[in-house]
Amino acid sequence: MSTTSLDLHSTPKRRLSVPGRHTAPPRPLTDSELTTLLRIADCLIPASGENPAASDADEYLRYLNLALAARADVFDAVLSAIDKAAGLHGDDLRAEIKRMWAEDKFTFDPLSSILAGAYFMTPQVKALIGYPGQHRDAAGFEDAANELDTGILDPVLERGHFYVSANGE
């Protein structure tokens, strides 16, 4: 084996198919950064009816840290947004968020998905929207056996096979 070839056996921690799972952000947010991030979250997700504002949702900080960890790849973009919004309140903060949305999707998209994702992960919000969480709902044996009877496969059967061999036959 040449020295330039990839030796998968000597690098057991290397993951080729998916990134590693992170359970903590790259670094903890400072108190100032967290305060600004929560202001941004509340601006994007204000209280409405029985739905709490983002920072008021039960366990929001726990799920925010989990979302920041899961998207560690865009942590710097979140820090950039925090920096741009530091010291802004009310209409000035809303204007900055709108500007970010219009002109800086690289920052706004991950920021908003992290903040909203953390909100919708909280048990309180999941209960308010009636989301039961992920669960398996596998087809029963009889359901699978009845696919021909239900007609769900009729278009596939009518089309016929589309196998093409390696030599084009």
Side-chain angles (χ1 to χ4, degrees), residues 22-165:
H22 301 282
T23 56
R27 69 164 177 80
L29 296 176
T30 66
D31 289 342
S32 174
E33 290 169 336
L34 181 59
T35 299
T36 300
L37 188 58
L38 292 176
R39 273 200 322 271
I40 295 169
D42 287 345
C43 188
L44 289 172
I45 308 170
S48 178
E50 63 182 7
N51 299 320
S55 67
D56 292 332
D58 294 343
E59 299 183 68
Y60 184 70
L61 290 179
R62 175 179 169 225
Y63 289 97
L64 179 59
N65 276 322
L66 186 60
L68 286 167
R71 291 303 316 269
D73 60 316
V74 293
F75 190 73
D76 289 338
V78 173
L79 292 178
S80 172
I82 291 170
D83 187 51
K84 292 172 185 172
L88 300 178
H89 298 272
D91 290 339
D92 292 335
L93 179 59
R94 278 186 286 285
E96 174 57 26
I97 292 172
K98 284 183 180 182
R99 185 209 59 76
M100 225 182 288
W101 172 80
E103 300 173 10
D104 188 4
K105 292 288 194 182
F106 179 79
T107 302
F108 180 81
D109 288 352
L111 171 70
S112 61
S113 67
I114 287 169
L115 296 175
Y119 183 75
F120 285 109
M121 282 193 282
T122 65
Q124 177 189 15
V125 173
K126 286 196 290 191
L128 285 169
I129 64 173
Y131 179 63
Q134 295 179 344
H135 63 281
R136 288 183 172 203
D137 194 12
F141 177 76
E142 291 298 320
D143 294 332
N146 290 331
E147 286 182 344
L148 289 174
D149 292 338
T150 64
I152 194 168
L153 293 177
D154 289 349
V156 176
L157 295 172
E158 288 172 19
R159 181 196 69 219
H161 70 79
F162 61 91
Y163 171 79
V164 177
S165 71

Side-chain angles (χ1 to χ4, degrees), residues 1-14 16:
M1 184 185 309
S2 75
T3 57
T4 59
S5 67
L6 178 63
D7 183 4
L8 297 177
H9 301 291
S10 66
T11 57
K13 293 183 182 181
R14 183 177 177 148
L16 298 177

